[in-house]
Amino acid sequence: MNKSKIWLSSPHMGGNEQQFVNEAFEANWVAPLGPNVTGFETDLEHYLDSDVHVGALSSGTAALHLALILLGIQPGDEVLCQSMTFSASANPIAYLGALPIFVDSEPTTWNICPNALEDAIKDRIQKGKKPKAIVAVHLYGMPFQVDAILAIAQRYEIPIVEDSAEALGSTYQGKKCGTFGTIGVLSFNGNKIITTSGGGALVAKTKELKEKAVFLATQARDAAPHYQHSEIGYNYRLSNICAGIGRGQMQVLDDHIALRRGMHTFYQEALKGEEGITVFSEPHADYFSNHWLSALVIDPEKCHGKTREDLRLAFEAENIESRPLWKPMHLQPVFENYLYFGGKVSEHLFTNGLCLPSGSNLTDAERNRILEVLQRFKN
Ligand SMILES: *Cc1c(COP(=O)(O)O)cnc(C)c1O
């Protein structure tokens, strides 16, 4: 095969990243602190345009781990978690010796279902195990049902860890994702809408909480001339080199969102009128997705028996990457012994759904190769 690989989502530099990195070299700020780290945090705070305080960290997973620590999660505590997500949403619950309780999705946003969530909370309270937190995710950039989920969290007084790793730039009723939860989480891994090669951030509502997060992320050093520790610390701060990439990426974030949304429109148009294929789209105008990944669901009965696996293999034959939707956590071998609330929505999505090449850097020629595969699949 000599056709070049088309990826689901690959890094897309804007042009100024290297300049920020060079400045770091010139000033010898080659460390997990420095002007790029502070600058990147300020850029993010301005972008989220809410009264938030951002701490830059080594990964989104680190941010989730610290978020749960800051909420006081202890061994044996129960934490509710959207089942349909990347494993990094759930793993930090296990790091703390706490127990994830998985919750199904609803079919419009593919995110945590308010009804299943409330059933889970009521059941656990009845058993004397009130959940200590809710991990809710904006999958593929699509905001979860923010009003409904926040109302439940408020009613039962349970904090929300808002996993916004895939949703930087998405909004709900005009407000940026990452700012709704008690604590928000961002990721800048290589395949996300912007990347620092690897990195993440914790979004706090107060300066004190951010400072506590940074304190824990830098080995929990007490104020003393020697190394003194009263708490267990972590090495979770973002490197000043990586933060330089992030500063450059912030300059092109809105362009990247427009391009990713353009890919979503491309798929909508390519598949217009196809009864058995649904392109994942915003339910109504309250929702604005960054469309980090475009995705679709195939109903084989309405597609002459053709399945999403047929489409995936057709792409693969042309050296085009596509991937089934996230496999729900309650179906993962490592989490099979934990409780689950809900029905088969996430399972159905996993069986019939496919993520499509969605990069902001796809060329016209690459789009044509994708289109040819879709055209052949339709016929
Ligand atoms: C990418 C991702 C994470 C983890 O972020 P890293 O920076 O890769 O550690 C967490 N949750 C979701 C939903 C993600 O997609």
Side-chain angles (χ1 to χ4, degrees):
M1 192 169 339
N2 49 22
K3 279 180 185 160
S4 64
K5 174 109 177 179
I6 298 179
W7 300 96
L8 212 55
S9 177
S10 68
H12 183 191
M13 293 299 108
N16 292 333
E17 290 83 1
Q18 226 157 1
Q19 194 188 315
F20 288 107
V21 172
N22 287 344
E23 283 168 20
F25 270 78
E26 279 155 22
N28 205 26
W29 278 111
V30 187
L33 80 170
N36 283 336
V37 174
T38 318
F40 185 40
E41 289 176 341
T42 310
D43 291 348
L44 285 164
E45 285 166 1
H46 288 159
Y47 185 79
L48 295 172
D49 67 18
S50 168
D51 198 10
V52 293
H53 303 266
V54 172
L57 301 172
S58 53
S59 70
T61 311
L64 282 154
H65 190 191
L66 288 184
L68 294 172
I69 291 169
L70 291 168
L71 293 174
I73 305 303
Q74 298 290 322
D77 283 350
E78 294 189 354
V79 175
L80 297 157
C81 182
Q82 181 166 325
S83 184
M84 187 161 178
T85 184
F86 180 45
S87 63
S89 306
N91 283 338
I93 301 170
Y95 298 168
L96 291 167
L99 308 169
I101 309 277
F102 295 111
V103 179
D104 202 3
S105 290
E106 41 79 15
T108 51
T109 74
W110 298 2
N111 293 311
I112 195 161
C113 170
N115 298 332
L117 176 64
E118 191 155 16
D119 287 348
I121 294 171
K122 283 183 179 158
D123 177 89
R124 301 322 293 156
I125 289 177
Q126 212 174 34
K127 307 256 161 47
K129 291 287 286 178
K130 183 177 168 182
K132 294 289 164 61
I134 300 166
V135 180
V137 190
H138 307 294
L139 276 191
Y140 308 119
M142 185 67 70
F144 57 71
Q145 291 187 4
V146 172
D147 282 344
I149 300 302
L150 290 191
I152 291 169
Q154 248 161 24
R155 190 174 320 138
Y156 294 94
E157 298 182 318
I158 304 174
I160 293 189
V161 176
E162 182 191 1
D163 183 345
S164 201
E166 303 178 0
L168 180 58
S170 298
T171 65
Y172 179 80
Q173 293 180 347
K175 195 171 178 308
K176 290 260 166 40
C177 287
T179 66
F180 294 110
T182 314
I183 300 178
V185 167
L186 304 173
S187 167
F188 316 111
N189 207 332
N191 62 350
K192 297 287 156 68
I193 195 147
I194 62 165
T195 181
T196 58
S197 73
L202 183 141
V203 184
K205 292 278 163 29
T206 63
K207 193 162 167 280
E208 290 69 34
L209 195 70
K210 177 217 161 148
E211 280 168 0
K212 184 75 203 260
V214 170
F215 166 79
L216 292 172
T218 48
Q219 309 287 20
R221 283 184 62 191
D222 295 340
H226 54 277
Y227 278 78
Q228 164 111 356
H229 307 275
S230 321
E231 280 180 72
I232 297 294
Y234 302 83
N235 184 5
Y236 278 173
R237 200 68 162 125
L238 185 67
S239 148
N240 193 55
I241 302 299
C242 296
I245 305 174
R247 294 192 78 183
Q249 289 273 278
M250 285 306 287
Q251 297 178 345
V252 291
L253 172 55
D254 279 331
D255 297 339
H256 285 197
I257 293 169
L259 290 161
R260 298 247 177 190
R261 288 178 57 82
M263 284 308 298
H264 171 258
T265 307
F266 163 82
Y267 288 113
Q268 272 186 319
E269 276 164 13
L271 297 164
K272 200 156 48 193
E274 285 303 302
E275 230 212 304
I277 306 180
T278 311
V279 176
F280 185 37
S281 302
E282 289 105 331
H284 55 80
D286 282 351
Y287 293 83
F288 177 90
S289 171
N290 66 11
H291 286 302
W292 168 57
L293 292 188
S294 289
L296 52 72
V297 173
I298 293 179
D299 179 350
E301 279 176 27
K302 292 182 183 157
C303 282
H304 314 290
K306 284 191 272 190
T307 64
R308 80 95 202 278
E309 197 53 14
D310 294 327
L311 180 56
R312 193 185 70 77
L313 292 171
F315 276 129
E316 195 173 79
E318 294 296 323
N319 208 17
I320 299 170
E321 184 182 34
S322 67
R323 191 176 297 143
L325 304 185
W326 297 123
K327 180 171 181 173
M329 290 303 116
H330 73 279
L331 302 175
Q332 298 284 359
V334 72
F335 290 126
E336 68 189 3
N337 293 325
Y338 294 97
L339 288 177
Y340 170 70
F341 289 83
K344 293 204 173 280
V345 174
S346 56
E347 189 173 341
H348 168 86
L349 289 167
F350 170 60
T351 307
N352 297 298
L354 192 69
C355 293
L356 305 162
S358 307
S360 45
N361 48 1
L362 292 172
T363 63
D364 284 344
E366 288 173 326
R367 267 196 292 268
N368 283 335
R369 280 172 57 197
I370 295 166
L371 198 55
E372 275 170 30
V373 173
L374 290 174
Q375 232 82 3
R376 246 179 290 137
F377 184 79
K378 288 198 299 187
N379 293 328

